[in-house]
Amino acid sequence: MLQLRPNCECCDTDLPADAGNAMICSFECTFCRDCAQQRFAGRCPNCGGDLVTRPIRPTSLLQRYPASSERVRKVHDR
């Protein structure tokens, strides 16, 4: 099950579970659309994989399967 991390790990923008601008790679590195496209050209700076739109978990399932509250930040030189 996806963690649905709460922020862009580059610029720390909030990305709630229903954010339409959240992008992830296959390792669940999470970025806002601006960083993913403008800074990283659609490639994860951590693994080199594709960054794709993160699925939205239905609101009705968030209580049973909550999104992560752990914020992840990394320094990205690109």
Side-chain angles (χ1 to χ4, degrees):
M1 177 157 330
L2 292 175
Q3 292 178 342
L4 300 179
R5 294 177 183 169
N7 66 304
C8 173
E9 72 178 52
C10 181
C11 71
D12 204 31
T13 294
D14 289 337
L15 296 170
D18 62 352
N21 66 328
M23 308 282 289
I24 61 171
C25 72
S26 65
F27 290 99
E28 295 190 58
C29 300
T30 304
F31 301 93
C32 68
R33 188 174 308 279
D34 287 342
C35 286
Q37 293 177 344
Q38 302 301 320
R39 295 187 70 162
F40 307 124
R43 292 274 174 207
C44 178
N46 301 319
C47 70
D50 292 337
L51 290 169
V52 298
T53 301
R54 181 179 75 186
I56 294 174
R57 186 165 301 153
T59 304
S60 61
L61 296 175
L62 279 173
Q63 186 157 355
R64 185 170 178 192
Y65 304 103
S68 174
S69 60
E70 182 181 342
R71 297 181 82 84
V72 176
R73 287 292 312 268
K74 295 182 182 174
V75 176
H76 297 97
D77 295 331
R78 289 192 198 169

